Amino acid sequence: MKTQTATKKKDTDFHATPSGKSLIPVKKKIASEEKKVPFSPFGVWGDLLEYQIDALQRGVLFWDTLRQRSNNMLDHEKAGMPPPLAFKYETIMDARTFKRPSNYALLKILETDDACLEDCLDPAKPPVIVVDPRAGHGPGIGGFKRDSEVGIALHEGHPVYFVMFYPDPEPHQTIADILESMKIFVGKASSLHGGKKPILYGNCQAGWLITLLSAHCKGTTPGLSVLNGSPLSYWASGDKGGSAMQIRGSLSGGVWLTRFMADLGGGILNGAWLVQNFETLAPAQAVWGKLYNLYEHTDTEQDRFLDFELWWNGFYRFSEEEITKTVESLFIGNKLERGGMVLDDDCHVDLKDIKNPMLIFASEGDDLTPPRQALHWIRAVYSDTKALKAAGQRIVYMINKHVGHLGIFVSAKVARLEHRAILEQASHISVLEPGLYEMIIDNPTDDPDCSHDQYKVSFEERKIEDLCDIAPQAPFEAVRKVSERNDQLYRTFFRPWVQAFAKFQNGDMIRQLHPLRLKRIMFSERLNPAMLPLIFMAKSVQENRHKASEDNPYIKMEQQAAERMIAVVESKTALRDEQDEKMFKAFYGE
């Protein structure tokens, strides 16, 4: 870092003379050049004209991309919002027809591009079941491109299954109903492959779902469970206190707000509210960075942007029973880590009952699920390493240093390295001696080719006592008590009135008019005739595209202005988070 800073200062402030014998300030050189270089109308003014043409054309393509995003969103909704998988598949089981129905289904991946998978599958390898997060968005992010968890599992020769869910939950659907469906899915995949225990891949929320399945009183024990960016310790806080998400959730007053929003929707919670929480957590990227990146690189970013936005803007729904159980038992109550989570069949979920090996993949760059929230439960459940070994359990964890939350299960680079390494080492993990291990990848190339072995994997034994400190939980215990009191007050005095009001209004109309959805679809020419000219303008621009040169000074000025904007938004976000933290400490203590 010091070398970069010194180099930058040298290039900026000084420059060598033509003889190379001395250094003179840049200002002096510019002054001398201005005297020697004759006036040219195509100098600065030529750069400005070139930039203006490029900026206007990029603007047309930018707005046309937003128009296409709106149309894609409307078409996706009209089609029932199927998972945007980049692979051909067939539905094996539909849980809506089960005795205990849920809105889940089991898909079998059949083909990738035009290649039949039967030619590359290894019959000796167990099936892989990829489960995507149910956190406001729809399924599909684990396989919406070839370099993904689904794609790498296929490349490694595994039969691959994908668990999807439909936009609307079954009436009064519960977490226990979903777990029952998952148990049947695991048994089905196992029976189709000679009784081999499937490898379960859980992304974010799906990670704690397959953890519940492994610990469930009547569950089917799977093979290796892989938890990618999955929170299991909701009260775990770092050295500087709780994360921004923890604090903002605590200041909302608890589960009553979730129940209120679900009641207002006629017993259904619109997932757009959860997506909005994610975007407001880091507005610099969601509000400005993502869109400017599209504007800056509109010639090359359009397809990637539209593919990702098709998933990001697919807002799914939750039943009131499912979402309130999740919030009060996990996010607010932390009952999973504490062994106090009770399902509606009177089963007490205890993480000590997990017998299948587990691999926990977390990242230090993940603001939503930092490593402490992914790992602290091990320290809380097992008193020490001896207790873990005595239970016969094998837990492996792997820490990425940089990637963000979505990158853990979306990044193509992570899929080609970390997820490939996980699948290649799955059989080895299953036969490790009981204990706690850190999986370390030695990767000199930093981006391996899937056709070559360009990295090495080692498992280093660790002690639970050194994993992380026991986090102070008194403030979050106070949050839980406040949540229970607020929820009791709401259910006693306000809920009957809200439910009565909900009967006289159209819940679907409220969902359609959600601000997050409206600001997407407003750019469609189907709803906004002012966007119609863009169709013809964009076609004309593509046929007559004139890009500015990379060394155009106005391009540099634009990039610097964008960086300053991001810095301003980030500073205001940091100030907001700081104020929230002070308020949290004032209400609930350190």
Side-chain angles (χ1 to χ4, degrees):
M1 193 68 183
K2 293 181 179 179
T3 304
Q4 293 176 352
T5 304
T7 304
K8 184 177 180 181
K9 182 176 180 180
K10 178 178 178 180
D11 292 343
T12 302
D13 297 336
F14 296 90
H15 196 86
T17 59
S19 64
K21 295 182 180 180
S22 63
L23 294 175
I24 57 175
V26 170
K27 293 181 178 180
K28 293 183 179 180
K29 184 182 178 186
I30 292 176
S32 62
E33 289 177 348
E34 289 176 350
K35 293 179 180 179
K36 295 179 180 180
V37 178
F39 172 76
S40 171
F42 303 104
V44 176
W45 298 110
D47 290 336
L48 178 59
L49 180 61
E50 180 187 59
Y51 169 75
Q52 288 177 328
I53 294 174
D54 176 62
L56 288 173
Q57 289 186 332
R58 280 188 290 138
V60 170
L61 297 177
F62 170 81
W63 292 110
D64 186 63
T65 303
L66 296 188
R67 179 191 64 82
Q68 293 181 56
R69 179 181 69 172
S70 300
N71 290 340
N72 291 347
M73 184 175 178
L74 294 172
D75 292 339
H76 193 217
E77 292 175 347
K78 185 177 181 180
M81 290 196 286
L85 294 172
F87 307 88
K88 295 180 181 179
Y89 60 85
E90 67 175 351
T91 301
I92 300 296
M93 305 186 82
D94 188 337
R96 294 178 297 182
T97 63
F98 289 176
K99 184 177 180 180
R100 296 183 63 175
S102 71
N103 66 331
Y104 278 64
L106 179 66
L107 312 179
K108 181 179 181 180
I109 304 299
L110 299 177
E111 294 180 349
T112 171
D113 296 335
D114 297 326
C116 181
L117 299 183
E118 298 299 329
D119 298 331
C120 58
L121 291 180
D122 185 345
K125 291 188 175 182
V128 172
I129 303 179
V130 178
V131 190
D132 264 357
R134 183 171 165 83
H137 311 93
I141 199 65
F144 82 114
K145 54 187 176 181
R146 289 200 61 185
D147 287 335
S148 60
E149 294 169 340
V150 171
I152 292 298
L154 293 174
H155 174 83
E156 292 299 314
H158 292 272
V160 179
Y161 295 82
F162 187 86
V163 173
M164 65 157 284
F165 41 89
Y166 296 96
D168 290 302
E170 290 296 291
H172 306 292
Q173 176 175 297
T174 65
I175 294 177
D177 296 331
I178 297 172
L179 288 176
E180 184 67 18
S181 301
M182 288 293 299
K183 181 182 73 171
I184 297 174
F185 292 164
V186 170
K188 181 66 174 180
S190 178
S191 66
L192 292 175
H193 298 279
K196 297 183 182 67
K197 294 182 177 180
I199 298 173
L200 297 187
Y201 244 75
N203 297 323
C204 190
Q205 171 271 345
W208 62 254
L209 181 65
I210 65 173
T211 300
L212 283 176
L213 177 66
S214 300
H216 188 246
C217 298
K218 300 178 182 178
T220 299
T221 303
L224 175 67
S225 292
V226 182
L227 280 57
N228 302 303
S230 302
L232 296 181
S233 301
Y234 300 90
W235 287 2
S237 56
D239 298 334
K240 298 181 179 179
S243 65
M245 181 66 80
Q246 286 176 313
I247 292 174
R248 289 174 66 83
S250 300
L251 294 176
S252 68
V255 70
W256 80 270
L257 184 59
T258 304
R259 200 183 304 276
F260 166 72
M261 298 304 298
D263 289 341
L264 200 61
I268 301 295
L269 179 75
N270 185 3
W273 292 111
L274 302 184
V275 178
Q276 182 171 290
N277 287 339
F278 297 140
E279 292 197 350
T280 56
L281 186 66
Q285 174 60 24
V287 178
W288 176 263
K290 178 174 65 175
L291 295 179
Y292 174 71
N293 183 63
L294 172 64
Y295 174 73
E296 182 184 15
H297 306 289
T298 186
D299 297 287
T300 58
E301 281 292 299
Q302 185 185 67
D303 292 340
R304 187 205 62 80
F305 177 84
L306 292 176
D307 287 343
F308 181 79
E309 289 293 292
L310 184 65
W311 171 76
W312 183 259
N313 298 318
F315 307 133
Y316 280 48
R317 275 79 70 181
F318 302 82
S319 69
E320 182 271 331
E321 293 85 351
E322 176 188 356
I323 191 64
T324 54
K325 184 75 171 181
T326 299
V327 173
E328 68 180 353
S329 297
L330 300 177
F331 295 100
I332 298 295
N334 195 37
K335 294 180 180 179
L336 182 58
E337 180 183 83
R338 299 192 300 159
M341 187 167 183
V342 181
L343 300 176
D344 60 3
D345 57 359
D346 294 327
C347 171
H348 291 257
V349 178
D350 190 342
L351 296 181
K352 288 183 179 179
D353 293 334
I354 299 177
K355 301 303 179 184
N356 60 303
M358 305 179 70
L359 188 143
I360 302 167
F361 183 18
S363 173
E364 293 179 0
D366 186 352
D367 293 330
L368 292 179
T369 308
R372 178 176 285 272
Q373 290 189 31
L375 298 172
H376 182 270
W377 68 273
I378 304 173
R379 183 73 185 270
V381 172
Y382 300 99
S383 57
D384 52 30
T385 309
K386 291 182 179 179
L388 175 64
K389 292 182 177 181
Q393 181 58 294
R394 304 165 183 84
I395 299 179
V396 179
Y397 68 91
M398 180 171 58
I399 307 295
N400 186 292
K401 298 294 183 182
H402 310 291
V403 70
H405 181 72
L406 285 177
I408 294 176
F409 41 89
V410 172
S411 169
K413 184 176 179 180
V414 171
R416 290 194 299 266
L417 179 59
E418 280 91 344
H419 290 300
R420 179 188 174 205
I422 290 171
L423 291 171
E424 287 187 345
Q425 298 296 324
S427 58
H428 180 64
I429 294 173
S430 300
V431 297
L432 287 172
E433 291 294 325
L436 178 67
Y437 299 87
E438 182 178 4
M439 179 174 171
I440 299 176
I441 302 177
D442 180 16
N443 174 33
T445 65
D446 194 44
D447 189 13
D449 184 343
C450 280
S451 61
H452 299 89
D453 293 328
Q454 298 177 338
Y455 61 89
K456 295 181 180 179
V457 175
S458 61
F459 296 89
E460 297 187 6
E461 193 167 1
R462 299 289 188 242
K463 293 182 178 180
I464 288 180
E465 299 85 344
D466 300 332
L467 184 62
C468 60
D469 297 330
I470 293 293
Q473 299 185 343
F476 296 107
E477 178 66 27
V479 171
R480 181 188 64 80
K481 293 179 180 179
V482 169
S483 174
E484 291 177 351
R485 293 170 185 170
N486 288 342
D487 191 39
Q488 184 178 9
L489 289 172
Y490 168 73
R491 287 185 293 175
T492 302
F493 298 105
F494 300 99
R495 192 180 195 191
W497 295 98
V498 174
Q499 290 178 328
F501 172 76
K503 293 180 180 179
F504 295 99
Q505 52 86 32
N506 191 326
D508 184 64
M509 180 178 294
I510 292 179
R511 289 190 289 273
Q512 296 293 330
L513 295 177
H514 190 282
L516 211 60
R517 183 177 182 275
L518 283 180
K519 73 178 186 179
R520 262 71 169 180
I521 64 172
M522 64 182 293
F523 296 110
S524 172
E525 76 279 5
R526 304 173 191 175
L527 304 175
N528 182 2
M531 302 297 290
L532 277 171
L534 276 174
I535 301 175
F536 307 101
M537 294 171 65
K539 183 178 180 180
S540 176
V541 166
Q542 290 170 349
E543 294 174 351
N544 302 276
R545 183 76 171 99
H546 296 284
K547 295 177 62 176
S549 59
E550 294 182 359
D551 59 351
N552 188 300
Y554 295 98
I555 291 289
K556 303 295 182 182
M557 292 171 61
E558 175 194 296
Q559 294 170 347
Q560 291 171 0
E563 291 174 358
R564 285 194 291 269
M565 177 62 74
I566 291 178
V568 168
V569 178
E570 287 180 342
S571 64
K572 291 187 176 297
T573 302
L575 181 61
R576 178 202 67 186
D577 294 343
E578 182 181 348
Q579 295 299 321
D580 288 346
E581 185 177 0
K582 291 180 179 179
M583 189 177 299
F584 174 83
K585 291 180 178 179
F587 282 127
Y588 301 111
E590 293 290 338

